[in-house]
Amino acid sequence: MSLHHQPEILAPAGNWDCVRAAVANGADAVYFGLDQFNARMRADNFTREDLATLVPFLHECGVRAYVTMNVLIFPAEMAEAMAYVDALDAAGVDAVIVQDLGLADLIARHRREGRLKIELHISTQMTVSSPEAVQWVDALFDPQQIVLARELSLKEIRACADATTKPIEVFCHGALCVAYSGQCLTSESLGQRSANRGECAQACRMPYKLEVDGRLRDLGERRYIFSPQDLCALERVSQMLEAGVRSFKIEGRLKSPAYVAATTRAYRRALDAALRGANVPPAEQADSLYAMQMAFSRGFSFGWLEGTDHPLLTHGRFGKKRGALAGRIVRCGDGWVELAGMPAMPIAPGDGFVIDAGQDRNEEQGGRIWKVQGNRLFFHGKGSRIDWRFVRPGDLLWKTADPALEKRLHATWCHFARKVEAPSAALDIHFEGRIGAQLTATCRGVTVGSGQPLEAAEKRPLTPEVVEAQFSRLGGTGYSLGKCTYALEEGLMLPLSILNRMRRELVEKLPRPAADETPKHSPLLPPDWSQIFPTPKAADKYKLSVLCREPEQALAAAAAGIKRIYLDFTDLKQLAPVTAQLRREYPATAVWIATLRIMKPKESGYFRFINEAAPDGVLVRNLGAALNFREKGIPMVADFSLNAANPQSVLLLREWGMRAVTVSYDLNAHQLADLLRSGCGPELELTLHQHIPMFHTEHCVFCTFLSQGHSFLDCGRPCEHHRVRVMDRTYAMHYLRSDEGCRNTLFNGKAQSAARYVVGMRRAGLSRFRLELLEETPEQTATLVEAYRALLRGKLSPEALMEKLDLLDRIGVTETV
């Protein structure tokens, strides 16, 4: 097989043992995050000091090192982010994986100037899902690798690969996010934790209920309606190779070394066989599949690689690890179960199992077995979590632990010794702290503090072992950790990130034990945005627009005197007639049309409906649309889904031709204030009122749970006949909508408003405000417009507006008051 780019197995690593597991089992590259700017902040992660040991270790093993910076960068962070990239480059890291448009732009500029050698890889968080989006990022950033969205089929991957000469990276294994990466606001909206900042709360793995046309629908055991099975493309590696995939990415920076070993080994075998034009022997393939199931599995599917099959992707019966299916119970008694036949997998005393007793009984019951007798398995009484009253014939039995397999996987990597840099000087550090006071660290006359008080620990107290684990991470500094002494009260708590910051600050303040190398160039800095954008001036006038999702809302908004209306209809055939009616009846109202939030290959036909309506402009929600409408010369406004979170992103989109840029919903009030201080207020549009769009997903709940079909071809389109709301664990109800592309959006059931911040934002130069409607009637639309117009004119206080409309007091998705 002739290949333009050598294919690679790209393995995840959340700690040193995972790195060793990846290298020992055949990874060509390893991706990992540091303790800042990465989308898996719950992983152990590495530090900048670790790079001095980690990168040489990988390179000596012939393995490339990729660092994730797959989060949005807030305005006050850009200088630090660029220094971070500079440090990665100096440490010899091969590539940085980036989500943020502004950061990608600055890295690309410095690469063109020869100031950076590190490769730029476009993260799946940038939502590259079409050939047009590939061309857009290729033209702007000249990246060295592009990670596509997970929701593409093999044919769609081929179409994207054909749009560029750059290597295409695709996930081949691991957990699937139900929402498009970079487009999920659920954790923020419900839990104040930003998925675009590495703090995903995995809301998709929680149980939900469906309300259909005002009545709760009995779904039986299917309550995990947003929890997909895991992706396993082991049997599709050769087809992915033919489709143009050159980097086979394994998800799992939060997973164990055993998981990394099992998955890396399996895909190494499969890729090597595909490159030879051969197949993996069936016995080896079965061994690989079993090992991966045992390492971690919620059930396997091909994801979207073979096209749309909604029920196969998300069956809804569970959201946790299940392992390998052992079989169905035919008989049971107190302490034992009997299967119809023994499964092909090995079963031995000490193995762990879960009994799937269904959602209407005690779920997740399980334990370890102590004896196997024929088809009968006997469970330990001690340590088991099984109430035998709830175990019945017909229940499924899942194998969740195999000590023998774990031992074999451990043996594959334990001989790979972690290389340790020889220290040049030991640091003896004294730590002091008590509840309500700072933790301090003193060494050689230098003292640094935690900056926040110590609190009583609820779970993991701050012990000497915890402190020393963080302060020993001194690779590349010329120091090692010496003797530590303590005057530290017991039972206190402090985040590990604070300990890491204290360590870095201490090292920076100490004299270097050896002369530093002369910097190869001056520090990398973002531009002085105050010299690019005009000095902020208070906005004397305001512009109020309304986004409407129903024709009646649009007519009511126009009748209320709104001068710009965005149409965001589910039925695209309504766009042209409603636009024409608005122009006839309200000629002073400009009509703009919103694109779909996602665009996939062969979906540019949806643009035909927009073109036929001949709008005054387009609200652009995906990168492919940005390319399409720029070429057509139609005025554009960038919507929130393009994730403009800093002045550089705003500048990039304005240079591309956007008339205005909608502020990213990830920014809270303080971060928005930082953005406005840069002077780009006149370039921005803020969504002042809305129901936050939480999940935006290729998975169709309507098809899966309200039909017997598998896709739009045979589902009967229940989305057109039913009103559906989703109930979460707190009994809050949220609105579910489907768009023309059959993608579902779950909107927060409670509308929110940034009314409290309007005066300050106008003083900082922001003058464009938008109201977004969802279920409002024409009468409610008129009331809403009247209230916000009074607010903007200073005739209605924010408090009175909030009370009148019963709204959440919130800006973006990460701040509630």
Side-chain angles (χ1 to χ4, degrees):
M1 178 179 291
S2 175
L3 301 172
H4 184 62
H5 299 281
Q6 186 64 32
E8 67 180 14
I9 298 296
L10 177 55
N15 56 44
W16 259 106
D17 285 345
C18 290
V19 168
R20 295 158 67 193
V23 171
N25 285 279
D28 298 295
V30 172
Y31 69 102
F32 54 92
L34 304 190
D35 51 6
Q36 288 177 284
F37 304 127
N38 93 83
R40 290 294 183 270
M41 292 307 292
R42 289 187 294 123
D44 290 345
N45 291 314
F46 297 90
T47 67
R48 294 193 203 185
E49 293 83 2
D50 291 327
L51 294 176
T53 305
L54 177 56
V55 176
F57 170 71
L58 289 170
H59 288 172
E60 288 172 17
C61 296
V63 176
R64 285 163 59 82
Y66 301 165
V67 170
T68 57
M69 291 187 74
N70 50 347
V71 295
L72 299 182
I73 308 298
F74 294 146
E77 298 173 330
M78 189 59 82
E80 185 178 6
M82 288 307 300
Y84 187 95
V85 173
D86 203 14
L88 298 181
D89 191 42
V93 171
D94 296 286
V96 59
I97 305 172
V98 174
Q99 172 189 12
D100 189 86
L101 295 177
L103 180 62
D105 184 41
L106 290 176
I107 293 173
R109 291 170 188 258
H110 287 303
R111 277 183 51 83
R112 285 193 290 268
E113 294 169 0
R115 301 187 71 189
L116 285 174
K117 292 182 179 179
I118 193 169
E119 293 183 0
L120 171 62
H121 292 189
I122 299 302
S123 170
T124 190
Q125 291 278 116
M126 206 179 280
T127 324
V128 178
S129 59
S130 67
E132 292 85 352
V134 169
Q135 292 169 352
W136 192 86
V137 299
D138 209 353
L140 266 69
F141 308 132
D142 187 27
Q144 286 62 61
Q145 196 146 292
I146 301 171
V147 191
L148 299 182
R150 291 174 171 92
E151 290 80 359
L152 301 180
S153 69
L154 289 166
K155 289 182 180 178
E156 291 165 340
I157 291 170
R158 175 77 269 173
C160 291
D162 287 344
T164 182
T165 60
K166 305 298 172 52
I168 292 295
E169 181 178 316
V170 172
F171 282 91
C172 63
H173 192 92
L176 286 172
C177 302
V178 73
Y180 273 87
S181 294
Q183 301 298 319
C184 184
L185 299 170
T186 313
S187 292
E188 298 99 311
S189 186
L190 299 182
Q192 301 294 285
R193 291 169 54 179
S194 172
N196 281 327
R197 293 285 293 178
E199 299 171 333
C200 173
Q202 294 198 311
C204 55
R205 304 300 178 187
M206 298 294 107
Y208 295 89
K209 294 181 180 180
L210 284 186
E211 179 196 81
V212 182
D213 300 327
R215 301 182 63 180
L216 286 177
R217 175 67 60 94
D218 183 7
L219 298 177
E221 298 178 357
R222 302 186 301 166
R223 291 193 292 146
Y224 295 87
I225 61 176
F226 292 112
S227 181
Q229 296 191 85
D230 292 344
L231 170 65
C232 178
L234 189 65
E235 297 177 356
R236 294 294 180 270
V237 168
S238 61
Q239 291 93 327
M240 292 176 70
L241 197 61
E242 292 171 1
V245 176
R246 291 299 174 263
S247 182
F248 292 77
K249 188 171 195 172
I250 300 167
E251 180 275 340
R253 285 190 286 135
L254 289 170
K255 302 287 179 32
S256 67
Y259 169 92
V260 175
T263 52
T264 305
R265 189 178 185 87
Y267 285 93
R268 177 80 275 159
R269 286 174 175 174
L271 181 57
D272 288 348
L275 290 170
R276 296 193 307 269
N279 294 317
V280 176
E284 288 187 15
Q285 192 82 330
D287 174 69
S288 294
L289 187 62
Y290 170 70
M292 292 192 299
Q293 287 175 322
M294 294 309 303
F296 194 94
S297 167
R298 298 182 183 92
F300 286 154
S301 80
F302 292 127
W304 304 103
L305 290 175
E306 297 197 322
T308 300
D309 190 335
H310 297 296
L312 178 64
L313 181 80
T314 305
H315 51 64
R317 294 191 67 252
F318 51 80
K320 298 180 180 179
K321 174 185 175 181
R322 274 297 191 272
L325 180 62
R328 193 175 293 275
I329 297 170
V330 295
R331 278 179 289 278
C332 57
D334 191 1
W336 60 271
V337 299
E338 185 175 317
L339 303 178
M342 290 300 286
M345 71 185 69
I347 293 181
D351 289 350
F353 292 85
V354 162
I355 299 170
D356 189 347
Q359 306 297 339
D360 58 338
R361 293 176 273 151
N362 284 357
E363 56 177 316
E364 291 294 314
Q365 299 193 89
R368 294 185 182 270
I369 61 173
W370 66 274
K371 184 172 72 171
V372 181
Q373 186 175 315
N375 294 350
R376 190 168 291 188
L377 311 181
F378 293 83
F379 284 78
H380 282 287
K382 184 177 181 181
S384 292
R385 298 175 290 103
I386 303 175
D387 187 336
W388 292 98
R389 297 173 301 167
F390 295 100
V391 181
R392 301 172 186 172
D395 291 344
L396 296 176
L397 185 70
W398 299 83
K399 184 176 180 182
T400 57
D402 185 335
L405 173 64
E406 292 166 11
K407 186 176 181 180
R408 289 199 303 273
L409 290 173
H410 184 265
T412 65
W413 58 265
C414 64
H415 64 283
F416 266 76
R418 171 177 169 179
K419 299 193 175 183
V420 180
E421 179 185 359
S424 59
L427 298 180
D428 297 335
I429 307 177
H430 179 69
F431 297 93
E432 291 189 12
R434 64 181 187 276
I435 192 164
Q438 292 190 63
L439 175 70
T440 61
T442 302
C443 176
R444 301 186 181 186
V446 174
T447 298
V448 297
S450 60
Q452 71 180 54
L454 291 158
E455 300 175 356
E458 295 181 1
K459 293 183 179 180
R460 299 182 179 88
L462 191 66
T463 64
E465 290 77 16
V466 171
V467 172
E468 290 169 25
Q470 302 308 311
F471 271 78
S472 64
R473 304 172 85 167
L474 294 165
T477 66
Y479 292 116
S480 66
L481 185 63
K483 182 181 178 181
C484 295
T485 55
Y486 298 89
L488 181 64
E489 292 181 2
E490 295 183 355
L492 302 179
M493 184 275 291
L494 194 69
L496 297 183
S497 60
I498 301 296
L499 293 177
N500 288 329
R501 180 188 58 75
M502 291 176 64
R503 182 197 66 248
R504 290 195 297 269
E505 185 179 345
L506 181 64
V507 170
E508 288 172 359
K509 291 184 175 180
L510 290 171
R512 297 288 294 180
D516 288 327
E517 294 182 2
T518 303
K520 62 181 182 299
H521 53 62
S522 57
L524 295 181
L525 295 171
D528 183 353
W529 294 305
S530 65
Q531 300 300 312
I532 299 173
F533 298 111
T535 302
K537 295 181 180 179
D540 296 328
K541 299 180 180 179
Y542 69 86
K543 297 177 181 178
L544 183 64
S545 60
V546 179
L547 183 141
C548 304
R549 293 187 167 95
E550 303 291 344
E552 297 78 13
Q553 294 171 346
L555 294 170
I562 293 298
K563 300 304 182 185
R564 176 182 290 185
I565 289 175
Y566 296 106
L567 303 183
D568 184 18
F569 295 165
T570 298
D571 184 359
L572 300 185
K573 298 182 183 66
Q574 295 179 315
L575 292 173
V578 173
T579 300
Q581 182 179 1
L582 286 168
R583 285 193 171 134
R584 285 195 308 272
E585 299 179 15
Y586 306 98
T589 297
V591 182
W592 289 53
I593 294 176
T595 71
L596 297 183
R597 195 161 157 192
I598 295 295
M599 174 183 172
K600 294 176 72 175
K602 297 186 177 180
E603 290 188 354
S604 57
Y606 288 132
F607 296 149
R608 174 174 56 86
F609 295 98
I610 297 177
N611 295 332
E612 289 176 354
D616 296 293
V618 175
L619 183 63
V620 172
R621 288 177 166 165
N622 64 74
L623 301 180
L627 181 69
N628 178 82
F629 289 106
R630 186 196 194 201
E631 292 176 347
K632 288 182 168 59
I634 297 176
M636 299 179 291
V637 166
D639 205 4
F640 75 96
S641 50
L642 298 191
N643 284 321
N646 53 67
Q648 193 66 30
S649 299
V650 174
L651 179 63
L652 173 74
L653 292 169
R654 288 288 282 119
E655 289 177 344
W656 183 256
M658 301 294 172
R659 299 286 181 90
V661 177
T662 309
V663 176
S664 166
Y665 291 170
D666 274 273
L667 268 63
N668 63 26
H670 301 292
Q671 292 148 358
L672 177 57
D674 288 339
L675 184 62
L676 293 173
R677 273 192 286 271
S678 71
C680 62
E683 319 295 331
L684 301 177
E685 181 163 315
L686 181 85
T687 306
L688 190 56
H689 173 103
Q690 64 173 319
H691 291 264
I692 281 284
M694 300 189 298
F695 291 129
H696 186 67
T697 172
E698 193 74 17
H699 164 56
C700 184
V701 173
F702 294 94
C703 175
T704 306
F705 300 102
L706 299 182
S707 84
Q708 299 300 312
H710 295 265
S711 72
F712 73 95
L713 296 173
D714 60 359
C715 71
R717 299 189 73 86
C719 57
E720 297 179 356
H721 310 298
H722 300 287
R723 286 283 186 179
V724 174
R725 294 197 300 172
V726 174
M727 179 189 290
D728 66 24
R729 293 181 301 163
T730 69
Y731 303 101
M733 303 295 292
H734 309 290
Y735 298 102
L736 187 70
R737 289 284 192 102
S738 181
D739 66 17
E740 187 71 23
C742 289
R743 295 173 193 110
N744 289 186
T745 302
L746 185 67
F747 292 91
N748 194 307
K750 185 86 169 177
Q752 69 178 51
S753 173
R756 182 163 61 91
Y757 303 96
V758 163
V759 172
M761 289 186 289
R762 292 186 67 185
R763 285 175 181 162
L766 186 60
S767 62
R768 294 184 177 95
F769 300 94
R770 186 195 311 164
L771 313 180
E772 293 204 351
L773 308 181
L774 184 62
E775 298 279 328
E776 287 82 359
T777 64
E779 293 75 19
Q780 291 169 329
T781 298
T783 299
L784 201 70
V785 170
E786 178 187 1
Y788 277 100
R789 186 177 280 137
L791 172 78
L792 290 165
R793 290 174 176 172
K795 297 181 178 180
L796 184 67
S797 71
E799 294 76 17
L801 181 141
M802 303 295 292
E803 183 178 355
K804 179 178 182 179
L805 300 179
D806 187 25
L807 304 173
L808 286 175
D809 185 5
R810 180 185 291 177
I811 190 168
V813 287
T814 54
E815 180 175 287
T816 303
V817 179

